[in-house]
Amino acid sequence: MSIITDDGNRTKRIDINQKNPNTKAEKIDYDRNFENSIRPKSFDTYIGQSALKETLKITIAAAKKREKPLDHLLFYGPPGLGKTTLAGVIAEQMGVEIKITSAPALERPRDIIGILMSLKGGEILFIDEIHRLNKVAEEILYPAMEDFFLDMTTGKSQTVKTLRVPLPKFTLIGATTKAGELSGPLRDRFGIIHRLEFYTDEELSQVIKRTAGILEIEITDDGALAIARRSRGTPRIANRLIKRVSDYALVKSDGKIDKKIANKALDTLKIDAFGLDSTDRSLLKLIIEKYDGGPVGIETLAAALGEDVRTLEDVCEPFLLQAGLLQRTPRGRKVTPATYRHLGYKNAVDQQSLF
Ligand code: ADE
């Protein structure tokens, strides 16, 4: 089967009939290919983030009128909300190439130097997880961002010379889930800083219907809304769930997704009414049952669950915090009365879950 994207004359056909992934690396590649294949490439097909889109449209129009590259941009917010996708839309609207990398891939000075030197005038460099950039790479970036120069040193000790190598004027788009961890000097070099917000159920329904259209999956409005409600405000999760629900619908019925099939499939996947999965629930239950509702340190929780601190902080927590099911305090994480209610505990004293 091939996928036809809905971006007019930039329509691309992507073969999704590739073999199912076996290894973890294959799975990451497969997910990335799938994400790339359904990414919107224009502001019209990019759903949600409307205030941000309006601001960006003006910024882009002004840069085009001035015939100058865009100012450097920083996007921050929880993972899966479309930061990379938005960077791609901006490149498409500016009519320039985008080079995509992430901070952990820029470990050695030559990694960042190589990529900067490969850029052409006006091009966009996208660095994901930019808060993880090391000090050396950051210091190479400062003059590159500010004056479009690379400061290179040659020779050793007494004979050391600094060479200023000019770079073409480029735009850096940085993305981070942790704006607070960005160093001040790096943050100050971005002309435009924006936060991406969680999506509403209505917006996620539109994302789901768009993806279903691309994948040729039949879905009703209430089927899309049922998936949207359990997608934690996050398009990446919605797009993942639609594939799983579609599998279920194909095996258990005629492949068409309506509200009943969607809810049954999501129940089978153990995604609850709030969109919490088993890791989220284990985290919350652990705080309630072993730590009396908290506060308890994130490292302790990660060790007890056998999870990575970063996974808990970056993937689980943003939505739990926003949903009011978790609080971050100086002494650690705490649950709230809403957590007890949501997980079916009669009250905060009785810690025996009804489920
Ligand atoms: N897929 C992922 N993010 C999206 C968005 N904002 N709009 C449409 N499709 C998407």
Side-chain angles (χ1 to χ4, degrees):
M1 198 215 294
S2 62
I3 307 176
I4 304 171
T5 65
D6 57 357
D7 287 292
N9 55 6
R10 291 193 192 86
T11 294
K12 241 190 205 161
R13 286 179 153 266
I14 299 122
D15 187 9
I16 59 157
N17 223 359
Q18 50 193 329
K19 69 179 169 68
N20 275 336
N22 292 317
T23 65
K24 195 169 174 191
E26 271 177 18
K27 187 172 177 332
I28 291 170
D29 259 5
Y30 183 86
D31 286 349
R32 206 170 279 150
N33 285 341
F34 169 69
E35 264 193 51
N36 284 339
S37 68
I38 57 168
R39 275 190 210 289
K41 298 203 171 48
S42 67
F43 283 120
D44 291 340
T45 49
Y46 186 99
I47 294 152
Q49 313 295 344
S50 45
L52 172 52
K53 275 195 320 195
E54 286 318 304
T55 312
L56 287 174
K57 281 185 196 168
I58 304 242
T59 311
I60 291 171
K64 278 186 168 170
K65 250 188 165 169
R66 288 195 190 102
E67 297 182 17
K68 291 236 169 94
L70 278 179
D71 270 354
H72 304 304
L73 279 151
L74 178 69
F75 293 143
Y76 70 98
L81 298 191
K83 296 188 274 295
T84 314
T85 306
L86 201 50
V89 170
I90 293 171
E92 195 79 13
Q93 300 305 300
M94 288 294 291
V96 298
E97 289 288 310
I98 178 166
K99 295 213 160 90
I100 298 180
T101 186
S102 75
L106 303 173
E107 207 180 311
R108 300 159 305 177
R110 68 167 174 216
D111 298 325
I112 180 95
I113 291 172
I115 205 160
L116 286 169
M117 293 195 51
S118 75
L119 294 172
K120 297 192 191 77
E123 282 187 357
I124 294 177
L125 171 60
F126 178 81
I127 305 183
D128 203 4
E129 298 189 75
I130 197 160
H131 61 279
R132 294 175 66 185
L133 216 53
N134 63 44
K135 205 79 224 117
V136 177
E138 259 194 33
E139 277 169 11
I140 293 170
L141 259 187
Y142 295 157
M145 289 174 77
E146 211 157 70
D147 305 316
F148 303 104
F149 272 109
L150 266 182
D151 282 327
M152 309 263 266
T153 49
T154 57
K156 284 198 181 127
S157 54
Q158 255 98 26
T159 63
V160 74
K161 274 194 194 139
T162 306
L163 216 68
R164 296 213 100 188
V165 181
L167 290 171
K169 293 201 166 60
F170 68 98
T171 299
L172 176 68
I173 304 185
T176 177
T177 49
K178 294 191 168 153
E181 286 187 15
L182 223 63
S183 73
L186 183 57
R187 200 171 39 240
D188 291 346
R189 283 172 171 82
F190 287 97
I192 305 165
I193 301 183
H194 281 293
R195 184 189 146 85
L196 273 80
E197 304 292 343
F198 281 112
Y199 289 61
T200 64
D201 290 345
E202 181 45 47
E203 288 166 345
L204 282 183
S205 287
Q206 288 179 44
V207 171
I208 289 164
K209 284 190 271 185
R210 175 180 177 273
T211 303
I214 295 170
L215 298 179
E216 297 173 10
I217 294 168
E218 256 193 274
I219 190 163
T220 61
D221 286 349
D222 60 3
L225 188 60
I227 300 177
R229 288 201 168 121
R230 301 204 210 182
S231 298
R232 308 164 59 116
T234 308
R236 181 180 292 155
I237 296 179
N239 283 332
R240 226 181 262 151
L241 289 181
I242 188 173
K243 285 199 295 176
R244 299 286 72 80
V245 172
S246 165
D247 289 350
Y248 184 92
L250 199 60
V251 173
K252 298 283 183 188
S253 163
D254 58 359
K256 190 171 168 184
I257 301 173
D258 58 18
K259 181 176 169 184
K260 198 165 151 214
I261 281 279
N263 281 330
K264 270 193 180 168
L266 294 164
D267 289 344
T268 309
L269 291 167
K270 304 217 173 328
I271 312 277
D272 71 20
F274 263 36
L276 307 194
D277 63 18
S278 50
T279 310
D280 302 313
R281 284 192 299 272
S282 302
L283 172 72
L284 298 174
K285 283 186 172 185
L286 180 67
I287 302 176
I288 291 174
E289 292 179 9
K290 294 270 186 319
Y291 299 98
D292 212 8
V296 50
I298 189 75
E299 286 83 8
T300 309
L301 293 169
L305 290 168
E307 283 284 351
D308 196 40
V309 171
R310 192 169 272 146
T311 306
L312 293 186
E313 281 185 339
D314 293 355
V315 182
C316 297
E317 285 195 345
F319 181 74
L320 296 176
L321 292 164
Q322 123 113 17
L325 296 173
L326 189 72
Q327 283 177 344
R328 231 183 233 159
T329 74
R331 289 173 49 231
R333 277 38 172 191
K334 264 175 76 175
V335 294
T336 69
T339 325
Y340 287 90
R341 283 197 300 277
H342 179 65
L343 292 177
Y345 293 89
K346 278 182 276 174
N347 55 51
V349 179
D350 173 18
Q351 288 167 7
Q352 222 33 52
S353 171
L354 296 175
F355 302 144

